[in-house]
């Protein structure tokens, strides 16, 4: 048990002393004196004991001011805080008291609660100043260290360059929590011993423990020395504590301004250290002025948010999702964009992470949900039949106890069928408190919301989670494949199995970040259901999205009206009527997919297979040459049609004296994929 601190009350009024004694004796030992002279005698007697003095100013024999004058001359009392009791009458005495070295004031008559609070603060401060050595590690305490650094820099700062290094252990709290304070202390002590060892290698090497797991070093600056220090700490401290996989993060401020306080140097090193927190391979980061600039930026973005929400500077952009079977869009994801009145567009990458860090994202999310509901309402009112729009739900909201109510109220307010508002929950958020997440998801499901797991594969989640969670769609980011720097096909295999497994669980997958036709082909080939990405469309303002949908619908309508239109989807189904009919036709017909100058035969009827594709007795070489010629001819024709030009029927010789006239038609179009039909009429006789 800690010994009680002793407090000395100096006051001439017995009543006051008695009352204070009552109040303070619960937590402190209390001694008292009736005037300055008595107080000085008591002090001389019990020098070591007295931790704090509460001093009245006006007293007989020796008043408070005279006491302070004498008290101040004793070096050994330097760290004993004095709190003075003043009354309103005497304004000028406060200044005089401060000059006399008083720490703090309280108003008379005393408010006991306030006085106790002041006493505790003063004691804490003095305790820190008194202690030169940290109890756990034996290193300098923060105050001692700062003082030593100040002295060293004042003496030597002119003649050489110094660096201030601040470091700590990533996730040190976990060690304390899991293994106990004692184990935590052991780690701290091992760091202290390592610092002792390193210090022998340098001159003018000062070090101390700032607080908790934070240490600081001030040493002459040379880049290689800093690297040496960081390496030695990292490697040896890890060696000494094999069980914990320790990572040390060092922030370095190369001191170029000796006029600033040591605490400010610490702040700068601290700011730098934040830069390497959580990164596996970096444990040293240097301060530079841009860090301050970043911090200012960050503050700006935080300060602006209220105004931006009020003035509706945030806008909903929509990125279509494409059904890979029909190549038509099926709904969209709502993504926030910030149109700042002075700065123009600010990308989500600049503000989302900041808002995530301090929880503001919760409000931004809700703003987006509301605007998406408003939009859906508008479409419904216009008599449209919108597809679902998905919104992002960030971690704070996933753990918001009112999440379900908030969403329920929103869809009720705007009379939105719940299946039209899909929710994207980021994968990493599933991991923290699975029970809680599962409970809210289950409630949301009951209300009819559809839930997507976003960014699957980006975090640490195991596939195992999937089977326990009530998820309706899996969103996988294409980028997660590109994390392999080398292209070695591994990523593709992983994606293939992820999608296959999702199928087993009856989970449709959406792959996002799809940028190239090769990726599209690959995804179709492995049976992925939906895609989202720049290849199809970038996130766009609402008006553009409406135009996009209108164009799609127009296309659809046009194709249906076309006499020669073939229901392409039906053709894939080999047993459908269309398909059977197609095969029965006495004219060779082939259906191609044409996209960005690439031509692919999708389907041909039996007549085509027998008459044209079949290699007759002309030899393989010749056959191939003719097929290639046909291919080129079709490509040219398709290019014309794709550009909106008219294309005349073309005639060509399939084999000796067998001539065909090819007629080409556009039968379907989904964004930039065109489905073309070519019919081959035998015109040999006429020829
Ligand atoms: P996300 O939810 O995974 O959204 C997909 C991001 O990928 C979007 O970035 C989108 O523009 C981008 N993207 C789409 N297609 C492609 C592509 O083909 N290639 C590449 N490289 N990128 C593509 P954005 O809009 O910058 O948003 C980034 C992240 O910020 C989002 O990732 C989401 O986590 C967050 N976010 C965006 N809007 C909101 C919002 O309203 N609320 C919340 N909570 N988070 C949001
Ligand atoms: Mg998303
Ligand atoms: Mg995503």
């Amino acid at each position: 048990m800690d010994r009680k601190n002793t407090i000395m009350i100096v006051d001439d009024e017995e009543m006051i002393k008695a009352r204070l004694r009552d109040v303070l004796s619960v937590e402190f030992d209390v001694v008292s004196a009736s005037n300055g002279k008595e107080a000085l005698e008591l002090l001389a007697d019990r020098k070591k004991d007295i931790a704090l003095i509460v001093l009245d100013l006006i007293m007989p024999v020796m008043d408070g001011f005279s006491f302070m004058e004498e008290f101040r001359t004793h070096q050994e009392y330097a760290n004993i805080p004095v709190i003075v009791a003043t009354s309103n009458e005497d304004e000028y005495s406060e200044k005089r008291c401060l000059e006399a070295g008083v720490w703090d004031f309280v108003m008379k008559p005393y408010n006991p609660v306030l006085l106790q609070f002041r006493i505790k603060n003063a004691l804490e401060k003095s305790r820190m100043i008194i202690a030169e050595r940290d109890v756990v590690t034996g290193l300098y305490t923060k105050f001692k260290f700062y003082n030593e650094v100040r002295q060293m820099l004042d003496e030597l700062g002119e003649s050489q360059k110094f660096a201030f290094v601040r470091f700590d252990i990533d996730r040190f709290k976990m060690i304390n929590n899991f293994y106990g304070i004692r184990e935590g202390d052991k780690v701290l002590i091992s760091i202290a011993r390592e610092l002792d060892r390193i210090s022998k290698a340098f001159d003018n090497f000062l070090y101390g423990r700032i607080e908790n797991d934070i240490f600081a070093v001030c040493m002459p600056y040379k880049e290689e020395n800093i690297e040496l220090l960081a390496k030695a700490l990292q490697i040896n401290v890890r060696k000494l504590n094999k069980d914990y996989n320790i990572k040390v993060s060092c922030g370095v401020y190369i001191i170029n301004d000796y006029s600033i306080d040591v605490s400010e140097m610490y702040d700068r090193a601290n700011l730098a250290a934040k830069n390497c927190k959580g990164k596996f391979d970096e444990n040293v980061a240097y301060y530079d002025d841009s860090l301050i600039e970043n911090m200012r930026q960050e503050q700006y973005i935080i300060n602006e948010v209220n105004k931006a929400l009020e003035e509706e500077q945030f806008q909903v952009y929509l990125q279509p999702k494409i059904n890979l079977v029909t190549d038509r869009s099926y709904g969209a994801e709502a993504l926030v964009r910030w149109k700042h009145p002075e700065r123009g567009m600010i990308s989500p990458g600049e503000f989302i992470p900041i808002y995530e860090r301090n929880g503001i994202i919760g409000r931004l999310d809700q703003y987006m949900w509301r605007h998406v509901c408003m939009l859906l309402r508008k479409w419904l009112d216009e008599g449209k039949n919108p597809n679902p729009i998905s919104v992002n739900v960030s971690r704070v909201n996933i753990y918001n106890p009112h999440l379900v109510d908030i969403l329920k109220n929103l869809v009720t307010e705007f009379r939105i069928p719940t299946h039209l508002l899909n929710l994207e929950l980021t994968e990493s958020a599933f991991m923290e408190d699975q029970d809680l997440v599962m409970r809210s998801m289950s409630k949301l499901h009951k209300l009819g919301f559809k839930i997507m797991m976003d960014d699957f594969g980006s975090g640490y989640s195991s596939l195992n989670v999937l089977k326990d969670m009530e998820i309706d769609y899996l969103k996988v980011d294409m980028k997660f494949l590109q994390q392999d720097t080398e292209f070695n096909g591994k990523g593709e295999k992983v994606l293939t199995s992820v999608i296959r497994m999702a199928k087993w669980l009856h989970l449709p997958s959406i792959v996002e970040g799809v940028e190239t036709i090769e990726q599209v082909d690959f995804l179709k080939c492995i049976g992925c259901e939906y895609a989202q990405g720049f290849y199809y469309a970038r996130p766009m303002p609402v008006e553009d999205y409406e135009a996009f949908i209108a164009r799609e619908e127009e296309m659809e309508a046009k194709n249906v009206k076309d006499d020669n239109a073939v229901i392409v989807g039906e053709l894939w189904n080999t047993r459908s009527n269309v398909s059977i009919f197609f095969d029965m036709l006495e004219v060779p017909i082939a259906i191609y997919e044409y996209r960005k100058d690439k031509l692919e035969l999708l389907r041909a009827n039996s007549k085509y297979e027998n008459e044209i594709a079949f290699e007759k007795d002309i030899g393989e070489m010749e056959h191939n040459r003719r097929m290639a010629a046909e291919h080129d001819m079709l490509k040219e024709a398709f290019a014309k049609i794709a550009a909106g030009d008219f294309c005349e029927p073309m005639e060509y010789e399939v084999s000796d004296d067998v001539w065909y006239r090819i007629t080409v038609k556009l039968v379907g179009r989904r964004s930039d994929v065109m489905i073309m039909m070519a019919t081959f009429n035998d015109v040999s006789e006429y020829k």
Side-chain angles (χ1 to χ4, degrees), residues 319 333-337 348-349 352 361 365 368 392-394 424 454-455 477 479 512-515 532-535 539:
Q319 186 176 36
E333 174 176 10
L335 293 157
V336 65
R337 293 293 179 268
I352 297 257
I361 190 72
D365 271 357
M368 290 292 287
N392 287 287
V393 180
S394 55
E424 297 195 6
D454 201 357
D455 307 318
D477 203 319
K479 269 169 269 166
E512 58 181 328
V514 176
E515 291 180 350
Q532 180 186 339
F534 296 168
Y535 175 76

Side-chain angles (χ1 to χ4, degrees), residues 466-616:
L466 289 182
K467 73 176 190 337
D468 302 327
M469 292 280 178
E470 287 184 48
I471 306 165
D472 303 289
Y473 295 88
L474 192 65
K475 280 192 94 167
V476 188
D477 203 319
M478 202 80 209
K479 269 169 269 166
F480 116 90
L481 295 189
Q482 291 149 13
Q483 277 165 11
D484 303 341
T485 38
E486 296 267 307
F487 177 85
N488 54 14
K490 257 192 202 154
E492 275 73 7
K493 278 181 201 149
V494 173
L495 186 58
T496 308
S497 12
V498 165
I499 283 166
R500 189 170 304 154
M501 196 190 41
K503 274 188 192 306
W504 285 334
L505 298 168
H506 304 291
L507 271 178
S509 343
I510 304 170
V511 173
E512 58 181 328
V514 176
E515 291 180 350
T516 65
I517 184 169
E518 287 77 19
Q519 292 173 336
V520 171
D521 288 340
F522 171 69
L523 293 173
K524 282 185 176 169
C525 171
I526 63 176
C528 171
E529 286 85 354
Y530 298 93
Q532 180 186 339
F534 296 168
Y535 175 76
Y536 289 106
R538 289 183 174 256
M540 56 185 102
V542 170
E543 308 79 67
D544 293 6
Y545 178 74
E546 287 172 340
F548 175 91
I549 296 295
R551 225 177 309 131
E552 249 189 2
E553 278 167 0
E554 202 180 303
M555 268 298 176
E556 187 100 323
K558 225 194 207 150
N559 288 338
V560 171
K561 269 187 254 136
D562 195 329
D563 289 345
N564 281 319
V566 179
I567 303 161
V568 180
E570 293 258 301
L571 273 174
W572 303 160
N573 180 349
T574 41
R575 281 183 312 196
S576 75
N577 287 338
V578 177
S579 204
I580 293 165
F581 172 69
F582 179 66
D583 260 344
M584 274 166 37
L585 283 177
E586 276 302 309
V587 187
I589 300 181
I591 310 265
Y592 298 85
E593 185 185 86
Y594 179 71
R595 169 165 52 179
K596 292 198 176 157
D597 209 27
K598 259 181 105 177
L599 176 65
E600 201 181 327
L601 180 66
L602 292 177
R603 188 88 209 270
N605 66 357
S606 329
K607 193 80 178 166
Y608 177 92
E609 299 289 344
N610 297 336
E611 306 246 314
I612 297 176
F614 179 67
E615 187 187 316
K616 306 226 172 64

Side-chain angles (χ1 to χ4, degrees), residues 18 45 108 162 182 217 236 271 277 283 343 375 400 426 459 463 481 492 550 553 570 581 664 670:
D45 226 24
K108 258 186 156 180
F162 280 89
R182 204 178 275 240
V217 170
N236 294 332
L271 202 57
K277 264 269 135 78
N283 75 330
R343 295 207 169 178
L375 188 60
N400 180 343
T426 181
L463 296 168
L481 295 189
E492 275 73 7
E553 278 167 0
E570 293 258 301
F581 172 69
V664 176
R670 311 285 184 266

Side-chain angles (χ1 to χ4, degrees), residues 125-318:
K125 212 158 119 193
S126 83
R127 194 189 55 75
M128 289 201 287
I129 293 177
I130 295 165
E132 295 200 335
R133 293 283 173 181
D134 165 50
V135 194
V136 176
T137 61
L139 299 190
Y140 281 156
T141 56
K142 173 169 148 185
F143 285 92
K144 176 70 176 167
F145 172 69
Y146 281 12
N147 280 338
E148 292 290 313
V149 168
R150 183 78 268 164
Q151 265 179 31
M152 178 169 80
L153 295 179
D154 287 348
E155 259 171 55
L156 303 171
E158 297 276 300
S159 58
Q160 56 181 312
K161 225 176 171 53
F162 280 89
F164 192 103
V165 184
R166 173 238 185 252
F167 67 90
D168 69 350
I169 295 174
D170 287 12
R171 285 169 281 105
F172 179 73
K173 275 206 193 77
M174 305 275 267
I175 300 179
N176 265 344
N177 289 347
F178 285 138
Y179 303 98
I181 305 282
R182 204 178 275 240
E183 276 301 301
D185 282 356
K186 268 197 205 158
V187 174
L188 297 178
I189 291 164
S190 72
I191 294 176
R193 296 298 76 80
E194 182 59 22
L195 282 170
D196 289 340
R197 204 184 62 79
I198 297 170
S199 74
K200 301 214 172 72
F202 297 98
D203 289 331
N204 303 316
F205 185 96
L206 287 172
Y207 54 107
R209 179 181 175 208
I210 306 300
E211 58 183 9
N212 304 326
D213 62 323
I214 305 172
F215 295 80
V217 170
C218 186
M219 64 193 281
Y221 172 68
K222 253 192 204 161
E223 196 179 335
E224 57 269 31
N225 289 349
I226 303 282
E227 297 297 324
L228 266 175
L229 169 74
K231 272 220 179 75
L233 282 170
Q234 175 64 57
I235 293 170
N236 294 332
V237 173
R238 186 174 283 189
K239 233 187 250 165
L240 292 169
N241 303 277
K242 287 201 182 75
D243 299 339
Y244 308 129
N245 192 19
I246 280 177
K247 183 185 168 250
V248 178
S249 291
C250 301
V252 185
Y253 168 54
I254 302 167
I255 305 173
N256 55 12
D257 181 356
Y258 288 89
S259 71
I260 61 173
D261 275 353
V262 177
S263 62
E264 166 94 32
M265 297 176 184
Y266 169 85
D267 288 343
R268 293 185 177 188
N270 187 21
L271 202 57
K274 284 196 183 128
N275 255 8
C276 55
K277 264 269 135 78
K279 295 182 187 160
F280 293 117
D281 50 348
E282 271 172 51
N283 75 330
V284 188
Y286 287 83
Y287 169 86
D288 71 71
D289 292 332
S290 74
L291 289 177
I292 289 260
E293 190 39 44
N294 286 349
M295 211 168 65
R296 264 195 218 119
Q297 274 293 340
E298 189 163 331
Q299 204 49 50
Y300 175 80
I301 283 182
I302 292 170
N303 292 343
E304 286 285 288
V305 74
N306 284 332
K307 201 162 150 238
L309 285 168
E310 255 162 49
E311 296 181 356
E312 313 216 321
Q313 292 171 12
F314 295 109
Q315 300 190 348
V316 174
Y317 268 48
L318 295 168

Side-chain angles (χ1 to χ4, degrees), residues 340-403:
H340 193 279
E342 285 136 39
R343 295 207 169 178
M345 267 310 201
I346 307 180
S347 97
E350 264 180 76
F351 58 90
I352 297 257
I354 297 174
Y355 291 160
E356 272 170 353
R357 248 174 275 143
N358 55 25
I360 294 178
I361 190 72
R363 283 164 61 207
L364 183 57
D365 271 357
Q366 292 175 26
Y367 170 101
M368 290 292 287
W369 305 344
R370 171 163 280 272
H371 280 75
V372 167
C373 283
M374 276 156 45
L375 188 60
L376 285 165
R377 184 69 258 159
K378 182 187 121 185
W379 288 337
L380 291 167
D381 286 344
E382 288 168 359
K384 291 181 180 151
N385 183 19
N387 282 325
I389 302 293
S390 64
V391 293
N392 287 287
V393 180
S394 55
R395 178 189 316 264
V396 251
N397 275 317
I398 295 175
Y399 289 97
N400 180 343
H402 305 298
L403 173 69

